[in-house]
Amino acid sequence: MDRIKQAAEFLAAKRESKEIFEDLPSHIKAGDLDQAYAVQDALVKMLMQKDGSRVAGYKVACTNCLAQEQLQVDGPVFGRLLSNVIFDSPVHLKAADYSRRIIEPEYAFIMAQDAPAGDGPYTTESITDKIGSILPSLELVDHRFRDWSLVGGLGLAQDNAYNGGWVRGRVYEGDWRSLDIKDQTVTLSHSAGEVLTGSGAAVLGNPLEVMAWLANKLNSRGLMLKKGHYITTGVTTNIMTLEAGESAKADFGPLGSVEVSYS
């Protein structure tokens, strides 16, 4: 059994048991980002085989400089969105189903066309032409590492970029290209009263920059964004952690809001 498969099986088992651990054993740890993505490929395949889910799109992490410094990476990291953990807002979830309950308000898009390598490399302008819709969303970040900052970007990439789920709001029905998604204030409110604010400028300066980066990164790995894929582009505020009995609501101004609660 090769180390890629062993690492994927190790991570899949921890996802099921929800056991908190320090790091992958040294003999199966990825040595670089290419190996880490190979582990992610194998892990996602295992998860889909187990529950019958499919890849419904992608998420992008580490889209701001602080996160990149903390995880010792020089750019973003992508993961897959799986169909069985996509929820419509408002959603009520069981806290015990998660090891962590980290909430991230994120701008999301739906692809109207495929983005093959032959049409790239992509810029914000050229990828915008292939996007159909925009919607507000919350990523549900979940991981089992005791200290994610010590594991770094390789651990993030291996464990499907820590995606534990995704909550989607309503698709914006107007002309989203006329909106100022870069500077529009995003507000994340906790049921206990805490309020965090941010904007699309937190993610590579503009969520569309994230879309261009992802399209090019996937093409470099023989993958591509496909028509109908959902893409969530990174946290626009600081992160928020919820416990059982708590809830959060993200307000994206003209795009509307998204809500999640845990019982």
Side-chain angles (χ1 to χ4, degrees), residues 111 115-116 119-131 176 206-217 219 225:
M111 297 299 295
D119 291 348
Y122 291 96
T123 63
T124 56
E125 291 77 15
S126 60
I127 198 62
T128 296
D129 291 339
K130 294 182 178 293
I131 297 171
W176 68 266
N206 187 328
L208 292 172
E209 291 285 356
V210 179
M211 293 296 292
W213 175 88
L214 179 61
N216 293 327
K217 184 64 176 181
N219 288 167
L225 294 175

Side-chain angles (χ1 to χ4, degrees), residues 44-242:
V44 168
K45 184 177 180 180
M46 290 178 187
L47 296 176
M48 291 192 297
Q49 289 174 338
K50 179 180 178 181
D51 56 33
S53 60
R54 60 181 176 80
V55 173
Y58 291 87
K59 63 151 291 184
V60 186
C62 291
T63 51
N64 63 69
C65 293
L66 178 59
Q68 292 172 13
E69 291 173 5
Q70 290 176 327
L71 293 173
Q72 303 97 52
V73 293
D74 58 6
V77 174
F78 73 80
R80 274 80 163 186
L81 292 179
L82 299 182
S83 59
N84 68 318
V85 289
I86 293 178
F87 310 100
D88 290 319
S89 173
V91 64
H92 304 279
L93 302 172
K94 296 170 73 171
D97 288 343
Y98 301 85
S99 302
R100 319 279 188 186
R101 288 161 297 279
I102 300 170
I103 308 303
E104 298 186 350
E106 307 192 6
Y107 281 101
F109 299 93
I110 305 174
M111 297 299 295
Q113 303 175 39
D114 292 353
D119 291 348
Y122 291 96
T123 63
T124 56
E125 291 77 15
S126 60
I127 198 62
T128 296
D129 291 339
K130 294 182 178 293
I131 297 171
S133 307
I134 191 171
L135 63 159
S137 75
L138 288 170
E139 189 191 1
L140 310 178
V141 175
D142 188 18
H143 69 87
R144 290 133 296 277
F145 292 109
R146 192 172 304 281
D147 188 338
W148 60 272
S149 64
L150 297 179
V151 176
L154 297 185
L156 175 71
Q158 289 175 101
D159 199 9
N160 197 32
Y162 300 161
N163 181 254
W166 183 60
V167 183
R168 61 189 176 190
R170 292 184 178 180
V171 172
Y172 182 69
E173 296 181 353
D175 177 16
W176 68 266
R177 291 169 177 81
S178 67
L179 299 177
D180 182 10
I181 60 173
K182 175 179 176 291
D183 294 319
Q184 168 65 46
T185 298
V186 177
T187 303
L188 179 62
S189 302
H190 191 288
S191 54
E194 180 185 10
V195 177
L196 303 175
T197 60
S199 71
V203 295
L204 296 187
N206 187 328
L208 292 172
E209 291 285 356
V210 179
M211 293 296 292
W213 175 88
L214 179 61
N216 293 327
K217 184 64 176 181
L218 292 178
N219 288 167
S220 74
R221 294 190 53 78
L223 303 167
M224 71 173 176
L225 294 175
K226 296 181 179 180
K227 180 180 179 179
H229 271 166
Y230 290 102
I231 313 299
T232 187
T233 57
V235 62
T236 55
T237 67
N238 287 332
I239 63 174
M240 181 178 285
T241 300
L242 301 184

